[in-house]
Amino acid sequence: MLSSRKIGVNIQMMIGSKIIKITQKIFIFRDLSKVIKDFSHILREPPATPPSPKDPVQKPLTDSEKPPAPPKPEEKPFAEFISQHLIPGLSESLSKHGIEPSKLEFIQGERPIVGGKCWMIFCELNQGRTFWLCFDSDTIKSAKTFCISEGGFAPSLLESFLIDERKITKALILSRILQRLNGQKWLGRN
């Protein structure tokens, strides 16, 4: 009997302006009315209306139309980055460890121990503890050195600082300064 055998059927119906294509295994004739009822909700949906000229469609902005993103702190001029971002960040980081620097400044002067002009962050802490972060030139990507002095004595060791890093960021500089000070046991007990 034809109506009780399962057969693959491809049915295409045109109702109104919609074409419905149904592909499934069904019992011929007996289940065809059920399939039509299942898809009748599609026919009841109102057709999509095009946007009216009063409501223009907003297109997504292209890269050339987007406003430029503000520069990252590290992309700002060297003096601005140091004075407006790095020094306040260093002061805040030291405060979190219960240390209030008596002097924290950005200066250009003689590099400790070896001499030569350089830009440096000079920080004087309690108990005669002092450190310098020196930059060879006015860019954060330049060679950097770190120097520590304790007990009011002149510094005697100049260490390279962040020599293997490709991308220099504020967070990286601050974390390495704190790591170095922690190594000296200046930030508390180890």
Side-chain angles (χ1 to χ4, degrees):
M1 182 167 177
L2 186 62
S3 64
S4 63
R5 247 178 50 189
K6 218 178 212 188
I7 303 174
V9 177
N10 187 2
I11 301 173
Q12 204 173 44
M13 299 184 316
M14 185 170 167
I15 301 174
S17 63
K18 295 189 179 192
I19 296 177
I20 301 172
K21 188 172 185 178
I22 305 165
T23 304
Q24 54 177 233
K25 291 184 178 183
I26 60 172
F27 290 103
I28 297 182
F29 305 115
R30 189 171 53 155
D31 291 333
L32 185 57
S33 63
K34 183 179 182 224
V35 172
I36 292 171
K37 286 179 187 175
D38 288 345
F39 288 97
S40 64
H41 71 279
I42 295 173
L43 301 173
R44 290 188 206 118
E45 293 176 3
T49 58
S52 67
K54 295 177 184 175
D55 297 330
V57 177
Q58 292 184 358
K59 297 178 189 175
L61 296 176
T62 62
D63 288 341
S64 62
E65 294 172 334
K66 290 181 182 176
K72 296 177 183 176
E74 296 82 8
E75 295 170 351
K76 292 184 178 179
F78 177 70
E80 181 180 340
F81 167 72
I82 298 292
S83 60
Q84 293 181 9
H85 298 282
L86 190 61
I87 288 181
L90 180 58
S91 179
E92 182 181 327
S93 296
L94 291 171
S95 295
K96 287 181 183 176
H97 290 286
I99 299 171
E100 293 299 326
S102 56
K103 189 184 265 188
L104 180 58
E105 56 190 9
F106 176 55
I107 56 175
Q108 186 175 22
E110 285 290 314
R111 182 187 321 271
I113 303 169
V114 295
K117 291 270 185 195
C118 70
W119 288 98
M120 63 183 115
I121 295 175
F122 173 74
C123 184
E124 191 174 288
L125 306 173
N126 56 0
Q127 301 172 357
R129 295 174 172 173
T130 309
F131 72 87
W132 295 259
L133 174 58
C134 305
F135 297 84
D136 282 355
S137 63
D138 61 348
T139 175
I140 64 168
K141 294 180 181 182
S142 69
K144 292 168 274 311
T145 53
F146 195 81
C147 188
I148 288 182
S149 167
E150 192 167 7
F153 294 105
S156 59
L157 179 66
L158 192 64
E159 306 169 10
S160 22
F161 187 79
L162 295 176
I163 57 173
D164 294 332
E165 305 300 329
R166 287 184 167 196
K167 186 175 181 183
I168 305 296
T169 63
K170 172 187 162 185
L172 179 64
I173 294 171
L174 292 176
S175 71
R176 294 297 166 84
I177 289 172
L178 294 176
Q179 182 180 22
R180 184 62 188 92
L181 297 178
N182 194 44
Q184 288 294 124
K185 298 183 173 41
W186 287 9
L187 299 182
R189 294 183 173 178
N190 285 349

